[in-house]
Amino acid sequence: MALTIYNSLTRQKEEFVPVEPGQVGIYVCGPTVYGPPHLGHAKSYITFDVLVKHLRNSGLKVRYVQNITDVGHLTDDADAGEDKIQRQARIDQVHPWEVVDKWTRQYMNDMEKLHVAHPSFYVRASQHIGEQIEAVQALIANGSAYEVNGNVYFSVEAFPEYGKLSGRRLEEQKEAVRVESRGEKKNPRDFALWKKAEPGHILKWNSPWGEGYPGWHIECSVMATKYLGKTFDIHGGGLENKFPHHECEIAQSESLNHAPFCRYWVHNNMVTVDGIKMGKSLGNFKTCEDLLSRHSAEAIRAFILSTHYRSPSNYTEEAISATATGLTRLSQLQSALQELIEKQAGAGSADADAEKLCVEVEKKIVACLDDDLDTPGAIAALYSMVTDANKLLASSSLSSAGGQRLLSLIQKWGGEILGILAPAGKASAELDIAPVMDMLINLRKEMKAAKKFDVADSIRDRLKESGILIEDTKEGTRWRKA
RNA sequence: GGCGGCAUAGCCAAGUGGUAAGGCAAUGGUCUGCAAAACCAUUAUUCAUCGGUUCGAAUCCGAUUGCCGCCUCCA
């Protein structure tokens, strides 16, 4: 069984074969750090988080590199516009590096809260200025680029395959672009490799062409090939980056290295809110911080992963709430299994069934993830396993060992890999309310014995109002947080 | 205008030629003093519409309608 993944470059699903057997190099476009991380970031990075975890679980050694774009870049790829970071710095009246630092930290914080594992390492555009300058020089030297007035442009006509990723034909594009936008470029589709710093521009570096800063696309080409090789396995990112960003990356890299840049292009789809594009100008974008204040990380992940990565996720409050409700079945099972394990139940006749169930479910989950990262399918497999596990549990013929087997399975896939199951028992570290709860539960038990059900119900109702649920079972009363 | 994607039950969502996964919501039942949780059962003769290919199509092809994204920064 091996991974099959949809390759945007060939527009079909392909069996994944790494350049180096047993090893995977993956590069994912990270955020430009000038504002709060939002649900769109979450979709992208949760997707690649699961991909990487799945690859590692499959026995592959993965080097996962993600960039942090901390060099401004213009709001407009033509010659107008302002550096995004600098603009934010002006608005906040701080130094650009303060903007960069603040949002880098926020990004990493949010990702950690969302159980998105750290990449193998992050790379920063600002720390690879030298390499970028060298790449631009080499491109000029081999005739792929030219300098005009301190700006350097890549000449798309020097790369006949330009457009192969996005399906845009250069000839068709020419007509569409208005002549007046051409400026000093030889071809209006030429894109900047190096920009001259206008007066007042703060984030700038010395270069053979004077003070300036690197163009938008060159950082990814340089950093990806530096750490992963001239031809590496997977390049990931959001769909909206397919053109022009990724198209330009291919043009630069392949003109420079004369080797295929990346074998598999993986693009995740977008997030909409109530059916409409999420965007700053529309004022409907959901930040991770805001979402995390109202929903668990597990619910957010489950919401994202319950839609295939190549389909758009439509955020509605109703949808994410329903997802969260569904998730309680999984955590209920986890608690029930832990209870069984603590009881140290002896050999059970259902253990063989549990083992069989685990083998089947794991096989199914792996098959789903291997099939172009079908996370909705994997979650469905996990859910139907919950029903079966509950049946085994209800049969009272499961031993602690059998319970442990089931528990390990849901913790591995639900917890570690998909990240939709919170580890149990981590709650209430601040204050141990267990003794208080014991007291209340005993009191309620006495009331029930005395047939004072109104009092017993009142205790239960009031606890519910405080966010604690009381459940009477044959083994006694238990409680949990709502 | 160019490029790409999507339309599956009240809602979310799989399905990649062999006769519609899973979740939420709802209803009935078992259990319970009553609940909760759990389990059982029911909920799409049908996959936007119209044609075509095929023994057979939600799945392939064509047309139509609607929605979304990209083409300017964006995950």
Side-chain angles (χ1 to χ4, degrees), chain A residues 136 140 145-148 150-154 191-195 209:
Chain A
V136 175
I140 292 174
Y146 57 95
E147 189 233 328
V148 186
N151 294 311
V152 182
Y153 297 102
F154 183 91
F191 54 89
L193 294 170
W194 186 265
K195 292 290 288 179
W209 316 283

Side-chain angles (χ1 to χ4, degrees), chain A residues 28-29 40 44-45 48 236-243 246 266-270:
Chain A
V28 173
C29 285
S44 189
Y45 302 123
F48 292 107
L239 196 59
E240 82 290 344
N241 276 145
K242 204 160 153 185
F243 186 90
H246 294 156
V266 179
H267 290 105
N268 62 274
N269 214 313
M270 316 293 279

Side-chain angles (χ1 to χ4, degrees), chain A residues 42 46 109-116 288 292 297 300-301:
Chain A
I46 287 171
N109 252 324
D110 287 352
M111 289 305 122
E112 189 173 341
K113 283 183 190 158
L114 287 171
H115 312 314
V116 171
C288 293
L292 281 163
I300 296 169
R301 285 184 70 107

